[in-house]
Amino acid sequence: MAGHCRRGLLIILSSPSGAGKTTLARRLTSWDSSIEFSVSATTRPPRPGEQQGREYCFCTPEQFSQLQTKGNLLESASVFGHLYGSPRAPVEAAIESSHDIVFDIDWQGGAQIAASTFAKDTVTIFILPPSIGELRRRLELRGKDSSHSVDLRMCKAKDEIRHWSDYSYVLINNDIDETFETIKSIVIAERMRQERQREISGFVQELLDEFRTEKK
């Protein structure tokens, strides 16, 4: 769907844990093969079923620190006692080749990218749960966390939600299919913004030049 006449987009999806951002990010990459998923580096140990380089690039705190020191991370944050960060090189390569890249990150990382040199390439989307009770239900149903971990995530959710107004688009995820269709519409519209189309000014000039040769 994406041509080579524009820079790629940095699509930031943020939400409290359990509100749906990871599912929505994965759906975007399935919908359009030109959208890549930004695989974060993390010091968190892998959960059952997770693979190195697919869900995350798992690394030691020392390795993570080296990435930060060398400027190889576009953003980084500490979440639930573990470090997370987005490698810079894949992002730069993607947007220059007209590929969009989607980030499943919290508000801290989103703010860093939105304030970076890629600010004009960035589209920020915040996903809200329909209710706090539903958010807890979703966290418990997914079965990834202990009851204590769920409680911690619920506490963190309050702080996360407070940053909703920092985002360009804010969606209430009542229904995952409807929310995904809305996100698709946002991406399609953002791709067509005038400043993102590299060749449009040249095409307009060609149209204007045609007036010189048009037969009266």
Side-chain angles (χ1 to χ4, degrees):
M1 293 184 184
H4 292 282
C5 58
R6 65 173 179 85
R7 284 171 64 83
L9 298 175
L10 278 65
I11 306 164
I12 296 175
L13 295 182
S14 297
S15 76
S17 294
K21 66 180 182 298
T22 302
T23 298
L24 292 164
R26 294 296 184 187
R27 284 200 182 189
L28 275 177
T29 60
S30 297
W31 166 62
D32 186 342
S33 60
S34 72
I35 300 179
E36 302 176 13
F37 185 78
S38 176
V39 180
S40 297
T42 182
T43 58
R44 172 175 73 70
R47 293 182 179 135
E50 291 183 332
Q51 295 180 14
Q52 175 72 287
R54 187 180 67 181
E55 284 81 12
Y56 290 97
C57 292
F58 299 101
C59 60
T60 65
E62 292 74 22
Q63 291 170 328
F64 193 95
S65 179
Q66 288 181 359
L67 290 172
Q68 287 181 309
T69 301
K70 294 179 180 179
N72 292 334
L73 295 179
L74 184 59
E75 57 81 25
S76 61
S78 177
V79 182
F80 299 116
H82 300 292
L83 298 172
Y84 293 81
S86 300
R88 177 182 295 273
V91 174
E92 294 176 338
I95 64 172
E96 287 300 327
S97 60
S98 298
H99 283 204
D100 303 325
I101 188 159
V102 61
F103 295 80
D104 167 6
I105 55 179
D106 76 348
W107 70 269
Q108 299 174 82
Q112 291 175 52
I113 293 177
S116 73
T117 55
F118 297 107
K120 292 183 179 179
D121 304 306
T122 300
V123 179
T124 59
I125 305 172
F126 196 88
I127 310 298
L128 290 168
S131 70
I132 300 306
E134 175 62 14
L135 180 64
R136 177 178 286 277
R137 188 186 74 84
R138 292 177 183 178
L139 283 172
E140 291 173 344
L141 280 179
R142 70 183 189 175
K144 293 182 178 180
D145 304 293
S146 66
S147 58
H148 176 66
S149 181
V150 168
D151 288 340
L152 289 177
R153 291 183 184 279
M154 290 299 297
C155 289
K156 179 74 163 54
K158 185 176 181 180
D159 181 55
E160 192 83 19
I161 290 172
R162 283 176 172 152
H163 293 273
W164 67 273
S165 61
D166 297 337
Y167 289 71
S168 297
Y169 301 93
V170 182
L171 309 179
I172 301 172
N173 186 19
N174 286 299
D175 179 271
I176 195 72
D177 295 327
E178 292 180 3
T179 302
F180 178 57
E181 289 301 316
T182 302
I183 291 175
K184 282 166 57 177
S185 298
I186 291 170
V187 171
I188 290 169
E190 287 286 345
R191 285 171 169 175
M192 298 306 297
R193 289 176 68 94
Q194 175 255 111
E195 63 268 23
R196 294 198 170 108
Q197 298 187 63
R198 290 170 170 166
E199 299 175 1
I200 197 68
S201 61
F203 177 74
V204 171
Q205 188 58 54
E206 289 176 5
L207 291 178
L208 295 175
D209 290 343
E210 286 186 40
F211 282 107
R212 301 175 185 174
T213 57
E214 185 183 28
K215 293 182 179 180
K216 303 297 185 181

